[in-house]
Amino acid sequence: AVQSVTLQAGTYFVETWAGDGYTQTAGYNGRGGYTTGTLTVNGPTTYYIYVGGKGGYPTSVTANTWTFNGGAIGYPANNASYGNGGGATDIRTIGGAWDDNASLASRVIVAGGGGAGRNTSYIGGHGGGLVGGTVTYFSPDQTGGPSGGSQTAAGTNTGYTAGLTLATLGKAMTWNGSTLTAAFLAGGGGGYYGGGSGRVAGGGGSSYIGGVTN
């Protein structure tokens, strides 16, 4: 859930760490990003802090849902252990639901979430950086993707969009309730822009430092 703090005038050193994506085998998930900077406050101001959820293994799947703060929900089937992407962590000047558009537009710093992975062959993309990581390996039926989010666009997955809600500002690509290209899905990470999801691994979300200096 969102947390808040009211800061007095001054300069503050801030750090944010995002959620890791899920992995069946330790070490092969995309790791959450890290951002840091100096926040300058001109007068008493309330800031809202959204700490991204860690990508877990879904016991049930609901269409068009995300982990807290934008990580995609994985779709496990046929005993394939693919899970959720990690949520982003950010600081905002407008509160409310994590996916409220006005709230997302008020973010001053963001750490991008990591994408889900599985093993040495299917490694999720790390959270950004200004650009989220593309998965290290991906299934040969997924030409070109899935990619991480950037400063201006969400991650994509060329040829693997059936059954998916495309990634956007703050949200990774997730299941939309209809038939997937393949029977399972690994979630991308949330971020400034979310990462692409994929059949066996997900891309990382992008980070953002536009509201801080240094």
Side-chain angles (χ1 to χ4, degrees), residues 101-128:
N101 287 333
S103 182
L104 286 171
S106 76
R107 292 176 293 179
V108 298
I109 188 170
V110 182
R118 186 179 184 188
N119 53 33
T120 56
S121 297
Y122 312 129
I123 305 173
H126 299 312

Side-chain angles (χ1 to χ4, degrees), residues 33-62:
Y34 165 78
T35 51
T36 183
T38 300
L39 177 66
T40 301
V41 181
N42 295 319
T45 305
T46 299
Y47 290 92
Y48 301 89
I49 303 162
Y50 296 74
V51 179
K54 183 178 180 180
Y57 186 75
T59 56
S60 63
V61 182
T62 302

Side-chain angles (χ1 to χ4, degrees), residues 12-17 34-38 49 89 91 109 111:
Y12 296 83
F13 176 70
V14 295
E15 297 176 285
T16 56
W17 290 263
Y34 165 78
T35 51
T36 183
T38 300
I49 303 162
T89 293
I91 299 172
I109 188 170

Side-chain angles (χ1 to χ4, degrees), residues 2-30:
V2 59
Q3 303 167 74
S4 64
V5 61
T6 299
L7 301 180
Q8 302 303 310
T11 56
Y12 296 83
F13 176 70
V14 295
E15 297 176 285
T16 56
W17 290 263
D20 293 347
Y22 173 81
T23 182
Q24 181 188 43
T25 306
Y28 300 111
N29 52 330

Side-chain angles (χ1 to χ4, degrees), residues 82-182:
Y82 302 110
N84 305 336
T89 293
D90 60 61
I91 299 172
R92 315 181 190 188
T93 58
I94 298 175
W98 71 263
D99 57 350
D100 177 79
N101 287 333
S103 182
L104 286 171
S106 76
R107 292 176 293 179
V108 298
I109 188 170
V110 182
R118 186 179 184 188
N119 53 33
T120 56
S121 297
Y122 312 129
I123 305 173
H126 299 312
L130 298 179
V131 179
T134 297
V135 303
T136 303
Y137 298 99
F138 52 91
S139 177
D141 65 355
Q142 295 178 235
T143 303
S147 64
S150 72
Q151 296 300 287
T152 57
T156 60
N157 191 347
T158 304
Y160 196 85
T161 58
L164 296 173
T165 297
L166 298 182
T168 186
L169 190 74
K171 296 179 179 179
M173 182 186 289
T174 202
W175 182 56
N176 70 8
S178 59
T179 302
L180 290 164
T181 302

